[in-house]
C-alpha cells in the first residue's frame, strides 16, 4: 500500500516539475456589478448622500463626486440636474467644477436664473484655458435663451469655436445652425464638411437630424438635399438605418429614395424597427399595385401578431379587397386568429366583423358573436356596442335582450356615442 502511494506521489511531483515556469492558472475576470436605480433619489439614499442643502456644504472633492453622478449618469432618468448644479455652484468652487458644469449644461436641462451671468463668466474663463465643453456650453446658453435673451449670432460664433477645437457637441450644433441659417447664412455644403469630422455612427445621427431641419422649407432643392442626407445616414450606420428610413417614408420624398429606404428595412430582416415596418407597409399599401399590396399585407400580418391595432385595421380592409386571392385571405385570418388568441382585443373585434359580414371567410353568426364577446370582455367599447346590438337583433329571447342592453350600457359608460344613442332609442320605445 505504501509503495503504491509513493508511486502516485512521485508521478504527481514529476508532473509539477514538468510544467513550464510561465504556466499560470488564469482566474476568470469577475463581471463588474452594474448598479441600477429607479431615480436619483433612490441612488442618493443607497449611497448615503445627504439632501442638496447639506451636500452643498460638503468638501469640494466630495461635491464633485456626487455632482458627477447627478449630471452625467448614463441613464438620463436617474439624473437630477438641480441637485448636481446646486453642488457645483456652491462656494468654494474650482476649475474642475466649472468644467463639470459645462458638461452638465450640454447633457441636461438647466436654469441658473440670476446666476446666469456669473456662470457665463466662469465658462468663458475656462474656455480661454482650453476647455472645449465650456465653449460649447457658452454657445448653447445663448442659443437656448434660457435666463438671458437668445442670441443666435453669439451662439454661432461660440459653436464654431467649439467645432474648431474638436468638441463633438460643438460640431453638431454648428452643423445644425448652418443647415437652418441660424446666426449665419444657410450653407448645407459647409454643414456637411463640419459633420464629416465626427465618427460614422454619430455623423449618421447628425445627418438624420440635419435632414429634418432642411426639409422644413419644403423647396425642391432642400427636399433633394434632405433625401441625400438620409440616404448617407443609412449607409454610414446600417445598424440604425431604420431611423432615417422611417423619415424617408414618412414624407413626400422621391420614389427612388423611398425604394432605397425600403431596401434597407428589408435588409434588417427580423431585426427591423417595427415602426419602420409599419410606415413602409403603409407606403406600399398606398401605392396600390398588386405586388406592393401583397408585401404590405405580409408586413401587417407580422405587426398584427405583435398587437399593433393599426395593422389589424389594415388587415380588415385587406379582407375586403378583390385583388387578394383566397390563400392570402386565409393567411390574414390565421394571423388575426393568432393575435386574438394572444389577447389582442382589436384582432378579436376584426374577426368578429369578418365572420358577421362574411368578409374573406364564410359568414358565421356564432363565430362573430364569440369573437365580439371576447373583445367586449376586454373592455373594447366598440366591440361591446356591436355585441349588444347583435344580441338585441338576433332573436326575441328576453334573456338575450337583457344581455344586449347590458353590453350597450357598458359601451356607453366607456364613452362610445353610438351606444348612448341606441340606449336612448330603446328607452323611448
Amino acid at each position: 500500500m505504501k509503495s503504491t502511494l509513493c508511486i502516485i506521489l512521485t508521478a504527481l511531483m514529476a508532473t509539477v516539475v514538468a510544467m513550464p515556469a510561465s504556466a499560470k492558472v488564469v482566474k476568470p475576470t469577475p463581471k463588474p456589478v452594474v448598479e441600477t436605480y429607479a431615480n436619483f433619489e433612490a441612488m442618493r439614499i443607497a449611497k448615503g448622500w445627504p439632501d442638496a442643502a447639506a451636500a452643498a456644504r460638503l468638501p469640494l472633492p466630495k461635491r464633485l463626486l456626487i455632482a458627477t453622478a447627478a449630471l452625467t449618469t448614463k441613464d438620463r432618468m436617474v439624473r437630477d440636474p438641480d441637485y448636481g448644479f446646486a453642488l457645483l455652484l456652491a462656494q468654494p468652487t474650482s476649475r474642475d467644477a466649472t468644467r463639470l458644469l459645462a458638461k452638465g449644461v450640454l447633457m441636461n436641462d438647466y436654469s441658473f436664473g440670476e446666476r446666469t451671468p456669473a456662470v457665463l463668466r466662469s465658462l468663458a474663463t475656462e474656455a480661454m484655458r482650453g476647455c472645449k465643453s465650456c465653449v460649447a456650453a457658452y454657445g448653447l446658453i445663448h442659443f437656448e435663451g434660457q435666463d438671458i435673451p437668445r442670441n443666435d449670432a453669439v451662439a454661432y460664433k461660440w459653436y464654431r469655436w467649439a467645432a474648431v477645437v474638436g468638441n463633438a457637441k460643438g460640431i453638431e450644433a454648428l452643423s445644425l445652425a448652418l443647415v437652418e441659417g441660424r446666426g449665419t447664412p444657410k450653407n448645407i455644403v459647409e454643414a456637411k464638411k463640419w459633420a464629416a469630422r465626427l465618427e460614422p455612427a454619430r455623423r449618421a445621427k447628425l445627418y438624420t437630424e440635419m435632414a429634418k431641419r432642411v426639409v422644413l422649407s419644403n423647396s425642391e432643392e432642400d427636399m433633394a438635399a434632405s433625401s441625400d442626407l438620409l440616404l448617407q445616414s443609412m449607409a454610414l450606420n446600417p445598424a440604425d438605418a431604420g431611423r432615417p428610413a422611417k423619415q424617408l417614408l414618412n414624407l413626400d420624398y422621391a420614389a427612388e429614395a423611398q425604394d432605397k429606404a425600403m431596401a434597407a428595412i428589408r435588409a434588417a430582416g427580423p431585426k427591423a424597427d417595427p415602426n419602420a415596418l409599419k410606415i413602409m407597409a403603409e407606403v406600399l399599401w398606398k401605392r396600390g399595385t398588386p405586388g406592393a399590396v401583397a408585401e404590405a399585407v405580409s408586413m401587417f400580418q407580422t405587426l398584427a401578431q405583435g398587437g399593433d391595432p393599426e395593422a389589424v385595421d389594415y388587415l380588415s380592409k385587406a379582407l375586403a379587397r378583390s385583388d387578394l386571392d383566397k390563400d392570402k385571405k386565409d393567411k390574414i385570418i390565421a394571423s388575426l386568429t393568432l393575435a386574438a388568441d394572444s389577447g389582442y382585443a382589436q384582432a378579436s373585434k376584426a374577426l368578429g366583423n369578418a365572420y358577421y359580414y362574411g368578409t374573406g371567410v364564410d359568414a358565421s353568426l356564432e363565430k362573430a358573436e364569440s369573437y365580439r364577446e371576447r373583445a367586449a370582455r376586454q373592455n373594447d367599447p366598440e366591440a361591446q356596442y356591436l355585441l349588444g346590438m347583435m344580441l338585441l337583433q338576433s332573436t326575441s329571447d328576453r334573456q338575450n335582450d337583457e344581455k344586449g342592453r347590458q353590453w350597450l350600457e357598458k359601451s356607453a359608460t366607456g364613452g362610445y356615442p353610438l351606444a348612448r344613442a341606441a340606449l336612448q332609442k330603446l328607452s323611448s320605445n
Side-chain angles (χ1 to χ4, degrees):
M1 184 72 179
K2 285 185 179 180
S3 59
T4 303
L5 183 60
C6 288
I7 292 170
I8 294 172
L9 288 171
T10 302
L12 286 172
M13 290 175 66
T15 303
V16 171
V17 171
M19 288 179 64
S22 59
K24 294 181 181 179
V25 178
V26 179
K27 295 182 179 180
T29 304
K31 293 183 178 180
V33 177
V34 179
E35 298 176 321
T36 57
Y37 303 96
N39 48 45
F40 183 76
E41 185 65 11
M43 179 193 283
R44 184 183 72 77
I45 293 171
K47 299 283 189 182
W49 297 334
D51 60 29
R57 297 192 293 271
L58 292 171
L60 182 58
K62 184 67 172 179
R63 280 191 280 132
L64 288 174
L65 174 70
I66 301 173
T68 299
L71 295 170
T72 66
T73 295
K74 190 172 182 180
D75 185 351
R76 191 181 181 93
M77 298 302 294
V78 179
R79 298 180 202 163
D80 188 339
D82 291 339
Y83 183 104
F85 286 130
L87 269 58
L88 296 178
L89 294 174
Q91 296 299 321
T93 186
S94 69
R95 292 177 60 184
D96 287 338
T98 300
R99 291 178 179 231
L100 179 56
L101 185 144
K103 290 181 182 178
V105 167
L106 296 174
M107 296 177 70
N108 304 279
D109 294 331
Y110 65 89
S111 179
F112 302 120
E114 62 184 16
R115 304 185 72 171
T116 302
V119 167
L120 287 170
R121 286 194 296 273
S122 297
L123 291 173
T125 299
E126 281 308 303
M128 298 299 177
R129 290 171 173 161
C131 175
K132 300 174 185 179
S133 57
C134 291
V135 180
Y138 192 99
L140 177 64
I141 291 173
H142 280 86
F143 168 68
E144 294 286 349
Q146 177 71 28
D147 303 321
I148 61 168
R150 175 171 171 165
N151 191 323
D152 287 341
V154 171
Y156 174 77
K157 178 177 135 183
W158 282 74
Y159 283 154
R160 190 175 185 87
W161 180 8
V164 167
V165 296
N167 180 267
K169 289 278 189 182
I171 292 171
E172 291 169 344
L174 176 66
S175 299
L176 293 174
L178 283 164
V179 299
E180 290 183 289
R182 192 180 65 233
T184 184
K186 181 176 176 178
N187 192 329
I188 297 173
V189 174
E190 181 74 6
K192 289 178 68 175
K193 285 181 180 178
W194 283 104
R197 300 188 178 199
L198 298 173
E199 52 88 18
R202 190 160 187 170
R203 193 191 332 161
K205 288 184 179 179
L206 177 58
Y207 276 175
T208 300
E209 186 59 36
M210 287 164 63
K212 289 181 185 177
R213 311 284 179 98
V214 171
V215 80
L216 294 176
S217 73
N218 210 30
S219 72
E220 187 175 335
E221 183 181 357
D222 282 351
M223 286 290 287
S226 177
S227 173
D228 182 58
L229 284 164
L230 291 169
L231 291 173
Q232 288 187 54
S233 174
M234 291 162 56
L236 280 166
N237 190 11
D240 193 33
R243 191 192 311 266
K246 280 190 293 184
Q247 186 171 329
L248 274 168
L249 296 174
N250 229 352
L251 298 175
D252 193 22
Y253 288 96
E256 182 182 356
Q258 291 191 335
D259 287 340
K260 291 179 181 178
M262 287 192 275
I265 295 172
R266 291 187 189 101
K271 295 181 180 179
D273 181 344
N275 288 325
L277 276 178
K278 182 160 69 173
I279 294 168
M280 177 174 170
E282 289 171 349
V283 170
L284 289 167
W285 179 272
K286 289 174 185 175
R287 289 187 178 181
T289 63
V293 171
E295 186 176 6
V297 167
S298 177
M299 290 178 164
F300 286 134
Q301 285 176 244
T302 301
L303 293 164
Q305 289 172 21
D308 188 293
E310 293 176 17
V312 171
D313 288 341
Y314 275 105
L315 291 180
S316 297
K317 294 174 186 175
L319 288 172
R321 292 184 70 108
S322 59
D323 56 351
L324 289 180
D325 58 31
K326 185 178 184 304
D327 180 59
K328 287 187 175 65
K329 291 183 178 180
D330 287 345
K331 289 178 180 177
I332 291 172
I333 292 296
S335 296
L336 291 174
T337 302
L338 279 173
D341 290 344
S342 297
Y344 298 116
Q346 191 79 359
S348 294
K349 184 170 62 178
L351 286 168
N353 292 341
Y355 282 110
Y356 185 80
Y357 294 107
T359 308
V361 291
D362 293 331
S364 169
L365 293 179
E366 183 180 354
K367 288 184 178 180
E369 181 179 338
S370 174
Y371 278 113
R372 283 180 172 176
E373 183 170 352
R374 190 186 296 189
R377 291 190 182 282
Q378 291 174 278
N379 296 319
D380 185 298
E382 183 183 12
Q384 291 169 341
Y385 165 76
L386 293 170
L387 177 61
M389 294 300 295
M390 186 177 179
L391 290 169
L392 288 168
Q393 295 167 357
S394 60
T395 66
S396 57
D397 186 330
R398 291 177 65 88
Q399 190 174 358
N400 268 1
D401 287 351
E402 183 58 30
K403 284 174 62 180
R405 185 184 286 271
Q406 288 173 359
W407 282 118
L408 288 180
E409 288 171 350
K410 287 182 179 180
S411 177
T413 302
Y416 198 66
L418 292 179
R420 287 196 294 266
L423 286 170
Q424 289 173 358
K425 187 172 182 181
L426 287 171
S427 298
S428 63
N429 291 339

